């Protein structure tokens, strides 16, 4: 008798796990997670991702042990690890979720497919989000998303393991070269994912509308599910269905709560909408979505600007405070992520790829499909989105009017008089006050207005180029959303916030 091998990747759960459910229906199973040394050498990997996975695997293993099995950890490259397992005990079927990952995982999946063909192993892959492999046209996408989200969740009825688990509990050590594990990041595992969903649906989502843009309120008002979705501790379908059920259970007068949940559901669409872009065109991880923007910034990369950004030394208090918060917690809200990238792309004129590599290691919830699409969108290289240039001073005035956020994360700002908090360099007494404390006056590393004006000019010049204009339709056809009808029903402020997040030209 043979067995089915279930290969866990970024799907670290047991409930609504299509690969595990199908394997369990077909016969005995063996569950594996493979630590791939080459994958962890990629520039977008950080220690925080590994540790989050380790915590999630720990919870998964504990659960599988209650069912009589465990998750086996194997270390090595694929498909060599599969060969090793196969020689130890041949299996006839391999089960996994489809992964829209980085270039490395894309190439590795091709090798695994070849290996399966050669050895005669049948590889069954399952969609885990509303992302469609080999999608013919974007027009079909909204219906496919809805079908996936409305279909029943999968639970395990019987699960037979191929052999009893080893006595020793899961032992997983991070590769020693990995760096960066923020002290205050979220911890991994399905149990915490469920608790986070519960607190969001039942309490925190009341503050979602109106609370998600300020970095002060966002840590509570946002769902904080992104890392759990990125590593699959909870399924997207579970989240969508639980949210819809909560909305139905609300009394008619709970308008604010309902509106928050409705706005949240649209973000869940966006999650898959953005990943679909990378699924349909994996090259956007490296090259501009619209080739008309090639060469715009690539050859002028200013290493000093980049270092100042990474070290929270740009001189814009809001930007530097965000970098410090991100470094400490592994998370930032959408608006502040967009502002960081916008500052990098416009006044600092940095190409999105190195900035994106750095941010990938900073974001605990790094999800390649969302990440690279957003990096390009906020940098103006998609060709189909409005150029949205966030002014770091205005963002501070709008979203941190009392300066609580800036003072919390940038201790040196605690002594700056309130009226100069967001532009301390304008304070006529700054030199004297800072000299007393033996510090330099904080000022932006570039002239904000002049640098932004020049950046906009250069981008708009490209945009006006007839060839660039002509190339736009191909990008729209491949990547643009087809969900405009929903927007008509939204109030104007919701529509504006949505437009800002999606950034489409209307
Ligand atoms: C430059 C940049 C890079 C980003 N990189 C990532 C990333 O690597 N991984 C990631 O999950 N999100 C990314 N985002 C989107 C967004 O900032 C995060 O999803 C959000 O801040 C996560 O917090 P939350 O789960 O509390 O969000 P909520 O507001 O509660 O949203 C719920 C879920 O919807 C999805 N979502 C929310 N906003 C967006 C959006 N604008 N685009 C696509 N999906 C969205 C996420 O899955 C999120 O978990 C990025 C945004 C920008 C501007």
């Amino acid at each position: 008798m043979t067995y089915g091998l279930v290969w866990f990747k970024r799907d670290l759960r047991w409930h609504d796990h299509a690969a595990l459910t199908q394997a369990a229906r077909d016969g005995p199973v063996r569950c594996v997670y493979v630590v791939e040394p080459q994958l962890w050498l990629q520039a977008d990997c950080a220690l925080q991702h590994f540790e989050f996975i380790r915590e999630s695997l720990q919870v998964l293993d504990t659960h599988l042990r209650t069912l009589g099995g465990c998750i086996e950890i194997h270390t090595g490259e694929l498909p060599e690890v599969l060969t090793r397992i196969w020689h130890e005990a041949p299996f006839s079927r391999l089960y996994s979720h489809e992964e829209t990952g980085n270039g490395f995982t894309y190439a590795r999946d091709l090798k695994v497919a070849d290996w399966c063909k050669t050895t005669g192993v049948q590889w069954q892959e399952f969609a885990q989000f509303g992302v469609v492999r080999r999608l013919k046209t974007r027009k079909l996408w909204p219906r496919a998303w809805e079908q996936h989200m409305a279909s029943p969740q999968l639970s395990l009825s019987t699960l037979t393991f191929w052999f009893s688990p080893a006595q020793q509990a899961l032992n997983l050590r991070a590769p020693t070269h990995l760096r960066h594990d923020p002290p205050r990041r979220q911890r991994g595992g399905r149990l915490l994912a469920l608790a986070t969903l519960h607190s969001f649906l039942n309490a925190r989502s009341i503050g979602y509308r109106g609370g998600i843009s300020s970095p002060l309120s966002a840590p509570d008002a946002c769902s904080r599910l992104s890392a759990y979705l990125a590593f699959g501790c909870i399924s997207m379908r579970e989240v969508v269905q639980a949210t819809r059920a909560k909305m139905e259970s609300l009394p008619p007068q709970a308008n604010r709560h309902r509106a928050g949940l409705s706005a949240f559901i649209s973000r869940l669409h966006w999650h898959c909408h953005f990943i679909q872009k990378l699924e349909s065109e994996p090259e956007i991880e490296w090259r501009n979505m619209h080739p008309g923007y090639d060469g715009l910034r690539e050859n002028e990369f200013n290493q000093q600007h980049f270092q100042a950004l990474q070290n929270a030394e740009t001189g814009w208090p809001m930007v530097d405070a965000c970098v410090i918060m991100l470094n400490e917690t592994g998370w930032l809200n959408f608006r502040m992520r967009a502002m960081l990238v916008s500052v990098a792309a416009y006044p600092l004129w940095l190409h999105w790829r190195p900035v994106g590599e750095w941010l990938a290691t900073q974001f605990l919830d790094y999800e390649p499909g969302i990440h690279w699409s957003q990096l390009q969108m906020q940098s103006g290289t998609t060709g189909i989105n409005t150029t949205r240039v966030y002014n770091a001073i205005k963002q501070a005035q709008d979203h941190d009017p009392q300066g609580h956020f800036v003072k919390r994360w940038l201790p040196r700002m605690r002594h700056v008089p309130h009226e100069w908090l967001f532009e301390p360099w304008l304070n006529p007494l700054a030199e004297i006050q800072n000299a007393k404390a033996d510090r330099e006056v904080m000022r932006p590393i570039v002239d904000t207005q002049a640098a932004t004006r020049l950046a906009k000019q250069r981008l708009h010049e490209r945009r006006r180029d007839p060839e660039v204009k002509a190339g736009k339709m191909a990008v729209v056809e491949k990547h643009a959303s087809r969900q405009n009808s929903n927007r008509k029903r939204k109030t104007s402020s919701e529509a504006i916030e949505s437009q800002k997040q999606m950034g489409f030209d209307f």
Side-chain angles (χ1 to χ4, degrees):
M1 171 143 124
T2 177
Y3 64 94
L5 191 73
V6 185
W7 174 23
F8 283 79
K9 293 183 276 180
R10 290 169 70 114
D11 49 0
L12 305 177
R13 62 179 181 276
W14 53 89
H15 176 71
D16 203 26
H17 193 293
L20 179 61
T21 310
Q22 186 57 48
R25 281 183 194 144
D26 292 346
V29 304
R30 215 173 142 181
C31 299
V32 297
Y33 180 86
V34 184
V35 179
E36 300 164 82
Q38 287 297 325
L39 172 61
W40 289 101
L41 282 172
Q42 302 302 305
D44 52 4
C45 292
L47 182 57
Q48 61 171 332
H49 303 137
F50 193 94
E51 289 299 311
F52 191 90
I53 289 174
R54 195 177 54 72
E55 291 149 11
S56 303
L57 282 169
Q58 192 80 59
V59 175
L60 176 60
D61 186 60
T62 305
H63 184 78
L64 292 181
R65 279 170 194 267
T66 66
L67 303 175
C70 70
I71 183 134
E72 298 169 33
I73 308 295
H74 293 261
T75 302
E77 302 307 332
L78 287 156
E80 285 81 21
V81 171
L82 294 177
T83 307
R84 231 158 50 206
I85 299 173
W86 198 82
H87 279 308
E88 193 185 301
F91 50 92
S92 50
R93 293 170 312 274
L94 175 67
Y95 302 85
S96 72
H97 275 120
E98 287 169 353
E99 181 176 2
T100 310
N102 61 11
F104 177 87
T105 64
Y106 181 85
R108 167 259 266 156
D109 282 353
L110 294 179
K111 288 188 215 157
V112 170
D114 275 351
W115 182 88
C116 287
K117 222 183 254 171
T118 314
T119 42
V121 167
Q122 191 199 345
W123 184 13
Q124 284 191 48
E125 285 188 282
F126 302 84
Q128 76 157 335
F129 300 128
V131 174
V132 184
R133 195 147 277 189
R134 288 177 278 279
L135 180 69
K136 293 228 163 53
T137 152
R138 263 281 175 164
K139 285 186 195 116
L140 302 174
W141 187 81
R143 184 135 47 99
W145 188 91
E146 186 49 42
Q147 261 171 7
H148 181 89
M149 298 309 158
S151 57
Q153 292 172 40
L154 303 165
S155 356
L156 291 165
S157 46
T158 55
L159 178 62
T160 312
F161 284 92
W162 188 66
F163 65 83
S164 303
Q167 285 304 305
Q168 70 270 30
L170 181 123
N171 181 14
L172 189 55
R173 277 180 204 284
T176 50
H177 71 273
L178 284 177
R179 295 283 172 273
H180 190 52
D181 190 14
R184 288 189 244 179
R185 71 163 166 82
Q186 289 174 281
R187 304 288 134 176
R190 178 167 171 77
L191 304 181
L192 286 173
L194 292 175
T196 306
L197 177 64
H198 185 270
S199 70
F200 177 68
L201 292 183
N202 294 298
R204 295 185 293 112
S205 51
I206 297 171
Y208 194 78
R209 268 190 73 193
I212 62 174
S213 294
S214 163
L216 283 167
S217 48
D220 277 332
C222 289
S223 73
R224 307 303 306 276
L225 285 168
S226 52
Y228 298 111
L229 287 168
F231 293 101
C233 304
I234 195 164
S235 87
M236 177 56 93
R237 179 161 48 198
E238 250 180 303
V239 176
V240 171
Q241 293 185 4
T243 308
R244 286 178 174 166
K246 180 68 198 177
M247 285 170 81
E248 275 173 28
S249 76
L250 289 173
Q253 65 274 20
N255 287 333
R256 186 178 159 77
H257 198 173
R258 193 173 297 99
L261 291 176
S262 163
F264 170 66
I265 294 247
S266 28
R267 266 76 179 175
L268 300 179
H269 270 100
W270 299 355
H271 167 279
C272 305
H273 163 80
F274 281 101
I275 299 179
Q276 186 68 53
K277 292 176 196 257
L278 187 67
E279 175 63 39
S280 300
E281 195 174 4
E283 297 79 10
I284 62 169
E285 184 185 344
W286 302 284
R287 65 157 178 69
N288 295 321
M289 199 177 280
H290 188 322
Y293 293 86
D294 286 355
L296 187 66
R297 300 186 180 91
E298 290 87 324
N299 305 323
E300 299 174 33
F301 196 77
N302 186 321
Q303 197 61 35
Q304 278 162 351
H305 286 183
F306 187 36
Q307 264 167 15
L309 182 65
Q310 290 175 300
N311 297 339
E313 289 170 357
T314 65
W316 290 291
M318 193 64 165
V319 172
D320 293 345
C322 282
V323 171
I324 295 172
M325 170 173 161
L326 181 57
N327 198 43
E328 281 280 306
T329 67
W331 187 85
L332 262 187
N333 60 325
F334 170 83
R335 175 65 69 99
M336 294 302 121
R337 293 187 199 205
M339 182 195 69
L340 279 191
V341 175
S342 178
V343 162
Y346 295 102
L348 300 184
W349 200 244
L350 295 171
H351 177 44
W352 53 266
R353 175 68 204 178
V355 175
E357 272 181 5
W358 164 61
L359 286 176
T361 65
Q362 295 286 306
F363 294 151
L364 176 63
D365 58 25
Y366 171 54
E367 176 65 61
I370 304 178
H371 191 73
W372 295 111
S373 309
Q374 282 287 354
L375 253 295
Q376 292 223 31
M377 195 167 106
Q378 306 302 338
S379 306
T381 54
T382 65
I384 59 171
N385 305 106
T386 318
T387 317
R388 208 167 285 292
V389 183
Y390 290 81
N391 178 323
I393 298 157
K394 186 170 181 306
Q395 290 302 312
Q397 287 159 347
D398 289 352
H399 299 296
D400 184 28
Q402 303 307 318
H404 294 313
F405 177 78
V406 158
K407 285 184 191 164
R408 171 161 184 213
W409 295 105
L410 267 186
R412 64 176 292 185
M413 300 309 292
R414 290 177 196 160
H415 309 287
V416 173
H418 185 79
E419 66 260 52
W420 308 113
L421 208 48
F422 305 127
E423 296 172 279
W425 55 93
L426 297 183
N427 176 2
L429 300 177
E431 297 286 353
I432 303 165
Q433 286 164 355
N434 279 274
K436 270 191 211 151
D438 200 20
R439 265 194 318 239
E440 281 188 24
V441 178
M442 191 172 185
R443 64 179 86 249
I445 52 171
V446 296
D447 176 331
T448 313
Q449 281 186 355
T452 308
R453 199 177 318 115
L454 180 64
K456 280 184 180 171
Q457 243 171 30
R458 295 181 73 179
L459 191 81
H460 288 147
E461 248 165 51
R462 280 285 171 114
R463 224 179 165 127
R464 281 195 297 271
D465 182 301
E467 266 185 46
V468 173
K469 275 188 177 168
K472 191 170 153 178
M473 273 326 287
V475 186
V476 168
E477 194 52 42
K478 195 161 208 166
H479 294 298
S481 164
R482 304 289 197 273
Q483 288 205 303
N484 290 346
S485 56
N486 276 346
R487 292 201 184 94
K488 288 199 189 100
R489 289 196 294 274
K490 285 183 177 155
T491 62
S492 55
S493 67
E494 272 176 86
I496 290 165
E497 184 53 31
S498 282
Q499 287 170 26
K500 278 184 177 159
Q501 290 218 20
M502 292 293 270
F504 287 124
D505 270 335
F506 287 100

